[in-house]
Amino acid sequence: MAFAYIFSLADQLLIGASLENAVYGGRMKRWVLAGALAFAAATPALASDLPPPGAPPAPPRAPAAYVPVVVPVYNWGGIYFGLNLGYGFGTSNWTDPNDPGGATGNFKLKGFLVGPTLGFNFQTDGFVIGAEADVDGSWIDGKVSSPFCSIGTQCETKSFWFSTARARLGYAADRVLFYGTAGGALGDVAAGQSGSFQRTTKGGWTAGAGIEAVFTDNLTAKIEYLYLKLGNSLCTSNASCGNDPGGPPNDTVKFSTSMIRLGINYKFR
């Protein structure tokens, strides 16, 4: 039926042509035109038989965003207490203008020390400001033989204890603190020549520097150097410092020491 309709339509389009063309050429044209019309009619049907177009490809997946892990910076602020242990090495010197010997000259002191520490820190950015105090038992001691001393004896200087109260100023590189420290000192200066000592409590000053490191959130350890200078002491006891010609002794005793100390502290969070 469809082809009969197509040929009929082609015949109608060829009406009005000459008889000769209708007889000979018209047949060819009729077939060509019929074929074109048949192709045009069949095109939608052929198109309907084709598979549907595929879905467009998915857009490329965006790369995952990198989120760096933020490690919290250690906070040095807070109150702490601990224990320090160290070794001192210093000098002493005895002088007396009334003694014919004049002076002993400097002689060496050395010995161990140990004691408790208490302090606090305040941190702003990388800077750490604080204060620290300690009281140490001391075995720092030294002797010298000299014409200044009584015959058959040695002049001896020692310290049984000392205490410091210092400010600290430092810079923290996260869990490591570099600091300087300075402040006042108090301690005893003991002087004697025959095993008995005249002890005098003297004030002084101290200064130094150190490094402190964190091992746990609450536990730190440090190593520091301190220089400590106490005021001059007088030995006026005959039993401890002998006799001067014509009167009791009046010996001026100087005491200073350097110290290397190790410390461990517990900090309250």
Side-chain angles (χ1 to χ4, degrees), residues 128-134 163-170 179-185 204-210 224-229 261:
V128 178
I129 303 170
E132 186 174 275
D134 51 63
S163 176
T164 73
R166 297 167 283 107
R168 297 204 312 171
L169 175 62
Y179 66 89
T181 182
W205 60 272
T206 183
E224 67 181 4
Y225 165 82
L226 288 178
Y227 177 81
L228 182 145
K229 177 75 171 68
R261 302 198 304 185

Side-chain angles (χ1 to χ4, degrees), residues 143-167:
K143 300 178 181 179
V144 66
S145 297
S146 169
F148 179 88
C149 309
S150 299
I151 297 174
T153 66
Q154 291 179 302
C155 294
E156 182 176 4
T157 303
K158 66 189 308 180
S159 178
F160 291 95
W161 65 271
F162 65 86
S163 176
T164 73
R166 297 167 283 107

Side-chain angles (χ1 to χ4, degrees), residues 98-100 238 242-249:
N98 298 324
D99 192 305
N238 295 100
N243 296 310
D244 285 349

Side-chain angles (χ1 to χ4, degrees), residues 89-93 106-109 140 157 189 227-230 254-258:
F89 46 97
T91 60
S92 182
N93 186 359
N106 290 335
F107 59 95
K108 294 181 180 180
L109 307 173
I140 298 176
T157 303
V189 179
Y227 177 81
L228 182 145
K229 177 75 171 68
L230 296 177
K254 298 180 179 180
F255 177 93
S256 62
T257 185
S258 295

Side-chain angles (χ1 to χ4, degrees), residues 12 94 111 116 182 188 256 261:
Q12 292 177 16
W94 290 34
D188 79 322
S256 62
R261 302 198 304 185

